[in-house]
Amino acid sequence: MKILVTYKIPFYEEVVESLKESVTLGKINDLDETYGGMLCLLTDKITKEVLDKGKNLKIIANYAVGYDNIDVEECKKRNILVTNTPCDEVNEAVSEFTWSLILALARQLEPAANFAKNVGYRGWEPDIFIGTDLKNKTLGVIGAGRIGSIVATKAAAFGMKVITHSRTSNTKLEEVILSADVVSLHVPLTPETRHMINSKTIFKSGAILINTARGPVVDESGLLELLQNGSLAGAALDVWENEPYPRPELIEMPNVILTPHIASATKSARLAMGKTAVANLVAFSLGQTPPNLI
Ligand code: GLV
Ligand code: GLV
C-alpha cells in the first residue's frame, strides 16, 4: 500500500522507518488514486473534494489528537478509516502548557517580561505588575477527557479547587463557568462546542479564560466584548478562530496572551505523535484494527 505523508514531521526518519518504501513525502495536492494510506496534519483539510482525488484511500492517520480537519462522516460513507494520536506525552505536554498559560496570565508574565527587556526597569517597586494568586481559587475544567483530567490533577499543586463540566457529567456548563476563577477549555471542536464561549457567557468577577483546545470553541468577537467591558479579566489563547490570523484587537490587549498553537510542542510529544500515527498505518497494513480508530 502506498502512503502519502504530507509533511516532514519531527523525527521523520526514525518515525517512518517501519513504513519504508511505501512512503512518499508530498503535499495534500499530490493525493491520487495510487495511494491507499495518508498521514496528514491538522492543517490539511480533508474534504469531499480531497477524498474524491484519493479514490483508493483506505486509512487516514491524522497527526493530531483533534480531527475536526477531517470530514469523518464522509470517510465513514467511503469506508475510509480515520485515526488520531492520543498519547500520554501529548496529554502531559498540553496540560503543562495549560498551566504555563494560567500562571503567566495570573502574574502578568508577558507584559512584565516585555517591560524588563524593553522599557527600562528602574528598580524594585511595590506596585508594578500586581497579579492574582491561585491558592484557594477555583479551576473550572470544561471537558473531562484525558487532557482535562490531567490539568485538573495538577491544580492540587497550587492549592486550587477544581470543578469540571463534561457532556456526561451532571454539572451545568453555566454553573461551572460562573463559579470558576480560571476556566480552561479541553473539548473537541464539534457542532455542539462551536462558540460554546460567546458574548452571552457569564463569568465570575475577575475570571480568566484559557483555550488550548480549538479556536472556534470560542466566539472571538464575543470574547472581545467580554474583555472590553471587564466581564472577563484576561484570556490566554493557544488556538484562534482563524489561525494563523490573530484578531487585531486582541494583539493590543495586555491581558491577552496569544501563542501559536504550541501546547503539544515538546520533543517527546512530537515523537510519540509520529510513532502513534505510523503504528496505526502499520497495524492496518498488517490486517489488524488500528489502535486509535475514531
Ligand atoms: C493539536 O492541536 C492536536 O489536536 O493534536
Ligand atoms: C521581594 O523581593 C521581597 O523581598 O519582598
Side-chain angles (χ1 to χ4, degrees):
M1 179 177 85
K2 265 181 73 183
I3 297 167
L4 178 66
V5 177
T6 67
Y7 192 86
K8 192 165 187 194
I9 53 177
F11 310 101
Y12 183 77
E13 272 77 23
E14 181 181 347
V15 163
V16 304
E17 203 184 350
S18 48
L19 295 169
K20 297 203 186 69
E21 58 281 351
S22 50
V23 161
T24 305
L25 189 59
K27 289 266 167 276
I28 195 81
N29 291 336
D30 301 326
L31 184 65
D32 61 26
E33 68 287 344
T34 64
Y35 291 102
M38 178 163 69
L39 189 157
C40 62
L41 302 190
L42 60 86
T43 44
D44 293 316
K45 302 276 173 265
I46 311 301
T47 57
K48 282 192 181 105
E49 291 68 34
V50 169
L51 295 172
D52 284 343
K53 292 178 67 191
K55 279 192 182 49
N56 293 310
L57 267 183
K58 298 280 177 292
I59 177 165
I60 300 172
N62 206 35
Y63 180 80
V65 174
Y67 46 85
D68 47 282
N69 57 308
I70 300 176
D71 188 338
V72 176
E73 280 310 307
E74 193 58 34
C75 289
K76 281 213 176 96
K77 280 188 208 153
R78 300 176 188 218
N79 287 320
I80 301 170
L81 302 182
V82 179
T83 65
N84 68 344
T85 60
C87 43
D88 292 343
E89 292 84 348
V90 170
N91 299 340
E92 286 302 330
V94 176
S95 57
E96 286 177 10
F97 193 72
T98 300
W99 277 99
S100 306
L101 293 177
I102 295 172
L103 293 163
L105 203 51
R107 298 302 298 272
Q108 303 195 53
L109 185 67
E110 190 185 29
N114 284 338
F115 170 82
K117 279 193 171 175
N118 303 319
V119 180
Y121 169 48
R122 295 179 303 270
W124 190 78
E125 291 172 71
D127 51 2
I128 56 171
F129 300 109
I130 299 195
T132 343
D133 37 22
L134 297 175
K135 189 163 177 171
N136 296 327
K137 298 278 168 60
T138 300
L139 170 69
V141 176
I142 311 302
R146 286 168 290 249
I147 296 172
S149 308
I150 297 175
V151 169
T153 307
K154 293 187 194 304
F158 297 100
M160 291 184 80
K161 285 174 283 191
V162 181
I163 46 177
T164 58
H165 167 78
S166 70
R167 262 179 318 161
T168 53
S169 68
N170 46 21
T171 52
K172 278 214 168 70
L173 175 69
E174 292 74 16
E175 283 167 15
V176 168
I177 293 180
L178 194 54
S179 317
D181 300 286
V182 178
V183 174
S184 191
L185 305 175
H186 301 285
V187 291
L189 175 62
T190 64
E192 290 74 41
T193 64
R194 181 176 293 273
H195 289 185
M196 181 183 230
I197 304 292
N198 54 60
S199 64
K200 299 199 176 63
T201 307
I202 303 172
F203 286 91
K204 184 175 172 180
S205 164
I208 58 175
L209 174 73
I210 315 292
N211 189 5
T212 55
R214 281 292 182 267
V217 174
V218 175
D219 168 10
E220 275 177 12
S221 62
L223 175 77
L224 188 63
E225 253 178 69
L226 298 177
L227 288 164
Q228 282 169 338
N229 67 25
S231 305
L232 191 57
L237 312 173
D238 185 49
V239 286
W240 318 333
E241 249 198 296
N242 188 24
E243 286 171 38
Y245 308 105
R247 188 167 290 259
E249 297 93 328
L250 295 176
I251 300 175
E252 308 301 327
M253 302 182 113
N255 54 342
V256 171
I257 297 176
L258 299 175
T259 50
H261 204 148
I262 53 167
S264 64
T266 67
K267 285 184 195 165
S268 62
R270 289 287 181 259
L271 180 59
M273 286 165 70
K275 286 187 169 173
T276 305
V278 166
N280 281 288
L281 293 164
V282 170
F284 177 78
S285 61
L286 295 175
Q288 299 159 2
T289 305
N292 306 106
L293 217 48
I294 284 158

